[in-house]
Amino acid sequence: MEWQPEPESLRQLIQLFNSTQSVDNAVQQQNNQRLEELRRVPDFINYLLFVLIVMKDENSTVRAVAGLLLKNNVRQDFASIPPHVLEYVKRKSIDAIGDPDTLVRHTLGTVIATI
């Protein structure tokens, strides 16, 4: 059985991604603080990957934000990510590279290149 997100956590994450579009500096600082906290959550990478490749009905900007965060987390934490998680990210990213959304495809390419 594949990994599945906890629905309430996923809802909150999508809400956070939507608020990244805010021009309010205070909101941006809160978002950055919350995202830094989430980096410590063991399956945060799985949530990011899920939003990027599974949530096709979500706004492409939100999906791309998840993908860019995924790329940055992989780059920053590469040495500490368990090999099976990196393998999962690689496999799912390659499987999804044919996404119809250009922004999502480009973001997937950067995730794959980073790995």
Side-chain angles (χ1 to χ4, degrees):
M1 183 169 164
E2 296 244 340
W3 179 90
Q4 290 295 310
E6 195 279 315
E8 180 57 23
S9 296
L10 183 61
R11 185 193 65 73
Q12 290 175 9
L13 189 60
I14 295 297
Q15 186 178 7
L16 177 66
F17 291 164
N18 278 312
S19 72
T20 63
Q21 306 304 311
S22 174
V23 294
D24 185 334
N25 199 26
V27 171
Q28 289 295 331
Q29 287 177 343
Q30 287 176 325
N31 289 345
N32 289 338
Q33 180 181 1
R34 181 68 180 132
L35 288 169
E36 191 58 38
E37 292 167 2
L38 289 170
R39 277 186 65 203
R40 293 185 218 111
V41 173
D43 57 352
F44 184 52
I45 285 178
N46 291 343
Y47 276 92
L48 296 173
L49 185 64
F50 187 87
V51 172
L52 176 62
I53 66 172
V54 175
M55 299 189 72
K56 296 187 184 300
D57 291 338
E58 193 60 54
N59 180 310
S60 63
T61 303
V62 167
R63 293 175 66 201
V65 166
L68 293 174
L69 288 168
L70 174 61
K71 175 198 64 111
N72 291 339
N73 279 279
V74 165
R75 184 177 43 81
Q76 292 169 343
D77 302 327
F78 190 82
S80 63
I81 299 172
H84 72 279
V85 173
L86 283 174
E87 212 36 60
Y88 179 72
V89 171
K90 281 193 277 189
R91 183 172 37 86
K92 297 305 271 183
S93 296
I94 290 171
D95 289 349
I97 201 71
D99 194 280
D101 189 287
T102 304
L103 181 58
V104 171
R105 278 194 317 270
H106 177 74
T107 305
L108 281 163
T110 64
V111 169
I112 293 166
T114 300
I115 293 172

